[in-house]
Amino acid sequence: MLAPESSPFAVIGGGLIDVAPPWAKDAAIGLFGTADKVALLTGIAIVLLVVAAAAGVVESRFPPWGLVIIGACGVASAVVSMTRAGAGPISWVPSAVAGIVGVVALRLLVGLLGRGAATAATAPASAADSGFDRRRFFAWTGGATAAGVLALVAANLARTGTRVVTTVRDALRLPSPTGAPVEIPPGADLRIPGLAPVITPNDRFYRIDTALIVPQIDPADWSLRVRGMVDHELTLTWGDLLALPMHESATTLACVSNPVGGDLIGTAVWLGHPIRELLARAGPHADADMVLSRSIDGFTASTPLEALTDDRDAILAVGMNGEPLPVEHGFPVRMVVPGLYGYVSATKWVVELDVTRFDLERAYWTDRGWSERGPIKLQSRIDVPRRGQGLKAGDTVIAGVAWQQHVGVAGVEVQIDDGAWQQATLAPAISGDTWVQWSLPWTADVGGHVIRCRAVSTTGEVQTSTHAPPAPNGATGWHERFVEVFE
């Protein structure tokens, strides 16, 4: 079966993602957020339409160069498809077929127009003849459109694998956690309108990854290989993994592309097997210092070995907020590692753990100029008042969240209009691996006001005011918000 990721759109889009420099990635996420892939696909469609139109004009004036353009596009897409991770022996077929169909369609349509023009030049004009030529042209155009519709139907049928995986996921019953389940402390969620909930619903959890087409993996076909600088290489099937002790933990994940005050962050209750126990079975060599995790789509992440073998809740996750992982969040298995940005730790659709060294291997984003280790930086955010929200003068509340996973937040301070910093009230934290909500009562006076916040960690670190962009290892600076207060 031809996978959806072999389609020309997916091949072109995946290739563009692979070669995009860090600034382009940041710009796309900054402009479109989690809709960056939809924007990319739309852009590809527009470019292909322009190329097709240009090829038609060229073919009508300088044959056969229009056909060459269409054919070259098909060949290029076929070649790129064979370089993609997980490419099979026939991954080139969809691109080749698209190129052939494009060449044939262009040849027929341009030929039809040419014959119509020749007829008009050599025969007396008549309403019947011109009507016939138009009818014939539109009939061919309709036929080409019908072929496109049939291609879409075929593509939809090819998504049978997607439906199968969804059905399998929906039927899964996850094992109960070993040990105590996660308990949300009373008062951890302040339930202030506009404030992000302490546990992020699955359908609102941010998604940033390199997969243009979400991998569809049947758990029956999934396996994980642990290899490299270990005493014993291991291979786990889905059944093997579910038979191991499962641990439940709450962890906040954050994307390194998250700007100051951004929303590329969320907290979930995860169910999975501790990675340290799996690595202990494999026996890492003493000189190993990194684990290169690999996704089925070829993405790799470089995680410090110590972050996977210390006491933090680094797990191979199979569950998210009481249900199997959503397909777009890594089903059937992903990594969750507190204290590190996702680009070096949160590998989705994970199929391999290669125990190695930082001086021997480089990961996907490391090759593109990002830091190789990626520890989470101390950050805080204002959620309330909302951006652009007008306030009535009088008593109100300022509220937000703060985080530094695997360290913890000890306090949050708020400044209004360059005044003295005021201590906000922290809600009870679920753990040091999650964000914490905070609030501060405020009597708002009429006029414009600038509100800032900064966090203090459990180690005494104060969030820096120095503004830095996300690249290469995470944004810094104080989040601030302008608020207009009316009578």
Side-chain angles (χ1 to χ4, degrees):
M1 180 181 290
L2 292 174
E5 55 268 22
S6 297
S7 71
F9 264 58
V11 168
I12 295 170
L16 290 175
I17 290 174
D18 285 349
V19 301
W23 64 263
K25 167 182 175 289
D26 286 343
I29 293 175
L31 286 172
F32 304 108
T34 56
D36 56 337
K37 296 171 183 63
V38 174
L40 176 59
L41 287 173
T42 302
I44 292 172
I46 293 172
V47 170
L48 289 179
L49 286 173
V50 172
V51 170
V57 173
V58 171
E59 181 63 20
S60 66
R61 298 181 179 180
F62 310 104
W65 290 107
L67 301 179
V68 171
I69 291 173
I70 297 296
C73 289
V75 170
S77 181
V79 171
V80 173
S81 71
M82 296 304 295
T83 67
R84 305 292 298 153
I90 58 173
S91 293
W92 56 273
V93 170
S95 296
V97 169
I100 293 170
V101 170
V103 167
V104 171
L106 181 60
R107 178 74 177 270
L108 290 173
L109 290 172
V110 172
L112 183 62
L113 286 175
R115 287 194 297 274
T119 300
T122 60
S126 73
D129 288 342
S130 61
F132 174 73
D133 287 338
R134 284 196 299 270
R135 286 195 300 273
R136 203 162 47 150
F137 173 73
F138 285 122
W140 277 100
T141 304
T145 302
V149 171
L150 289 174
L152 289 175
V153 172
N156 190 57
L157 292 175
R159 293 190 179 97
T160 300
T162 300
R163 292 193 290 270
V164 168
V165 170
T166 300
T167 300
V168 170
R169 176 191 174 275
D170 291 344
L172 277 177
R173 294 295 177 267
L174 295 176
S176 299
T178 301
V182 170
E183 292 188 4
I184 309 300
D189 196 325
L190 299 176
R191 302 187 183 279
I192 297 172
L195 177 60
V198 70
I199 298 296
T200 310
N202 288 357
D203 60 358
R204 291 173 54 187
F205 208 95
Y206 79 96
R207 180 199 162 201
I208 297 292
D209 52 55
T210 62
L212 192 61
I213 303 297
V214 175
Q216 306 292 320
I217 307 173
D218 188 331
D221 299 327
W222 177 87
S223 65
L224 176 75
R225 184 185 181 195
V226 182
R227 61 178 297 275
M229 300 172 63
V230 294
D231 295 332
H232 311 286
E233 291 196 358
L234 303 174
T235 299
L236 265 70
T237 65
W238 174 250
D240 295 334
L241 179 59
L242 290 191
L244 296 173
M246 290 287 159
H247 178 68
E248 191 174 73
S249 56
T251 298
T252 297
L253 297 183
C255 179
V256 71
S257 295
N258 200 32
V260 173
D263 59 0
L264 300 180
I265 182 170
T267 301
V269 176
W270 309 91
L271 177 71
H273 181 66
I275 297 175
R276 62 176 174 274
E277 295 183 12
L278 188 62
L279 290 176
R281 291 170 54 189
H285 295 173
D287 55 342
D289 63 4
M290 186 257 275
V291 173
L292 188 73
S293 56
R294 187 178 304 276
S295 168
I296 197 169
D297 69 349
F299 171 82
T300 54
S302 57
T303 310
L305 179 60
E306 63 179 352
L308 300 177
T309 54
D310 61 17
D311 61 353
R312 77 185 74 194
D313 290 319
I315 60 173
L316 290 172
V318 298
M320 181 179 182
N321 290 334
E323 62 181 70
L325 289 172
V327 176
E328 65 273 18
H329 289 296
F331 180 81
V333 185
R334 70 170 295 166
M335 292 174 61
V336 173
V337 183
L340 300 176
Y341 286 114
Y343 81 105
V344 295
S345 66
T347 303
K348 303 173 184 177
W349 314 289
V350 62
V351 294
E352 183 177 274
L353 301 180
D354 185 5
V355 181
T356 181
R357 294 183 53 84
F358 280 104
D359 58 2
L360 297 177
E361 297 284 354
R362 292 173 64 83
Y364 183 93
W365 286 116
T366 308
D367 277 339
R368 289 158 176 81
W370 293 78
S371 170
E372 63 185 9
R373 295 177 185 264
I376 290 282
K377 295 182 177 180
L378 179 63
Q379 281 288 310
S380 57
R381 186 183 77 196
I382 302 166
D383 284 359
V384 179
R386 296 185 298 275
R387 184 182 295 107
Q389 174 187 356
L391 286 180
K392 278 191 173 184
D395 293 339
T396 185
V397 65
I398 302 169
V401 288
W403 62 90
Q404 191 178 25
Q405 299 89 297
H406 200 57
V407 176
V409 174
V412 171
E413 298 172 338
V414 178
Q415 183 186 56
I416 303 170
D417 296 332
D418 297 322
W421 287 95
Q422 303 177 56
Q423 190 73 35
T425 300
L426 289 186
I430 301 174
S431 74
D433 290 337
T434 65
W435 62 8
V436 59
Q437 296 182 347
W438 56 266
S439 65
L440 177 74
W442 178 39
T443 301
D445 297 326
V446 174
H449 301 278
V450 176
I451 305 171
R452 300 182 184 88
C453 66
R454 67 184 183 189
V456 180
S457 76
T458 56
T459 63
E461 178 189 358
V462 178
Q463 181 180 339
T464 180
S465 62
T466 303
H467 279 271
N473 57 7
T476 61
W478 295 337
H479 187 215
E480 65 178 43
R481 180 159 292 174
F482 176 80
V483 179
E484 189 73 33
V485 179
F486 304 95
E487 290 186 5

